[in-house]
Amino acid sequence: LAKTTQPISMDSYEGQEVNITCSHNNIATNDYITWYQQFPSQGPRFIIQGYKTKVTNEVASLFIPADRKSSTLSLPRVSLSDTAVYYCLVGDGVFNKFYFGSGTKLNVKP
Amino acid sequence: DGGITQSPKYLFRKEGQNVTLSCEQNLNHDAMYWYRQDPGQGLRLIYYSQIVNDFQKGDIAEGYSVSREKKESFPLTVTSAQKNPTAFYLCASSLGVGSTDTQYFGPGTRLTVL
C-alpha cells in the first residue's frame, strides 16, 4: 500500500514561502501525487496534482524528484487564511484506493 | 449549482440505534466514497463505490453498511455493531477511482452517539 509520511505540524509567518514534504517510498509507476487542504469541520479541497518534475497553478507548486519517492508542496507568501491541514495523497496502485495520511497542520502566524 | 450534499450537518443518536447518513451528488461522477475522521486525525476510508450496484470495503468497514442503487446517491448506515461511532463523516465523489481522479468532498456530517 502506497502510504505517505508527512511532518505532523509546521509553523510559518505571513508572507513567507512554506514547503511541506511528503514521503511515499512505495509509489507505483502509474500513481499520481495529489495534495488536499482541509479547514476545521469542512471537507478537504483539491490543491494540486502531479506525476513528475514540477507543476504550478494559481495557488501552489508541486516539486517531484526523478525517483518520485517524495514530493514537496510549495505555498508562496502564505497568509493567515492558509492555516489548515494539508494532505499528501497517492493511489494504491493496485486497487486504486486512496490513502489519506494524518496530514500536516500548518499554522500561519501574523 | 453542482456539488455534493450531505445531510444532516449534525446528528445525535442513542447508543444501540442504527443511523443513516445521506450523500447526494449531481456531478455525474461514477465513483463515491465514505470517510471517517476522528478529532485531530486523518481520513480513513470506510467504503467506496465505482459504479451503481457495486461497492467495496475500505480500511474500516466493520459496523458500517452502504448501498448504491442510484448514481447520485451513496447512503451510509452506521449500525449498532460499530463500537465507537462518534466521528465526523465525509462523503466524496470522483469521475473514476484512478490516481488522477480528483475527489470532491461534501461538507460532512458530525455524528454524536449519546
Side-chain angles (χ1 to χ4, degrees), chain B:
Chain B
D1 191 22
I4 302 176
T5 58
Q6 292 185 244
S7 61
K9 189 171 179 63
Y10 298 97
L11 189 56
F12 297 89
R13 280 294 182 270
K14 292 183 178 179
E15 193 171 342
Q17 289 182 332
N18 290 355
V19 60
T20 298
L21 281 60
S22 168
C23 178
E24 303 278 333
Q25 55 98 359
N26 60 5
L27 300 169
N28 200 32
H29 284 170
D30 286 319
M32 297 187 73
Y33 313 78
W34 273 106
Y35 292 91
R36 169 183 172 138
Q37 186 171 38
D38 293 288
Q41 304 297 312
L43 282 69
R44 292 186 290 170
L45 183 63
I46 305 173
Y47 270 98
Y48 68 105
S49 168
Q50 299 185 50
I51 56 172
V52 174
N53 293 322
D54 179 73
F55 48 83
Q56 307 295 328
K57 292 182 179 180
D59 299 318
I60 55 165
E62 184 175 350
Y64 299 97
S65 65
V66 294
S67 62
R68 188 83 186 279
E69 299 176 0
K70 298 187 299 182
K71 188 175 186 177
E72 308 79 32
S73 179
F74 191 40
L76 172 75
T77 296
V78 184
T79 75
S80 56
Q82 168 52 232
K83 296 287 185 269
N84 185 19
T86 294
F88 187 48
Y89 290 88
L90 286 159
C91 178
S93 72
S94 63
L95 278 174
V97 293
S99 186
T100 60
D101 290 309
T102 301
Q103 294 188 32
Y104 296 85
F105 285 81
T109 292
R110 189 167 298 280
L111 172 65
T112 301
V113 176
L114 305 172

Side-chain angles (χ1 to χ4, degrees), chain A residues 7-25:
Chain A
I8 294 174
S9 64
M10 295 180 69
D11 289 331
S12 181
Y13 291 93
E14 282 191 290
Q16 289 186 331
E17 178 185 76
V18 171
N19 296 309
I20 306 174
T21 297
C22 177
S23 172
H24 29 79
N25 292 318

Side-chain angles (χ1 to χ4, degrees), chain A residues 1 30-34 36 38 40-46 49 87 89-91 95-103, chain B residues 9 33 35 37 40-43 45 48 50 57-59 88 90 96-107 110:
Chain A
L1 187 64
N30 59 342
D31 281 341
Y32 277 67
I33 300 152
T34 311
Y36 286 82
Q38 186 182 26
S41 297
Q42 295 185 26
R45 184 182 69 167
F46 172 86
Q49 183 181 76
Y87 294 97
L89 189 69
V90 298
F95 301 109
N96 286 327
K97 291 189 301 182
F98 294 97
Y99 177 78
F100 275 87
S102 55
Chain B
K9 189 171 179 63
Y33 313 78
Y35 292 91
Q37 186 171 38
Q41 304 297 312
L43 282 69
L45 183 63
Y48 68 105
Q50 299 185 50
K57 292 182 179 180
D59 299 318
F88 187 48
L90 286 159
V97 293
S99 186
T100 60
D101 290 309
T102 301
Q103 294 188 32
Y104 296 85
F105 285 81
R110 189 167 298 280

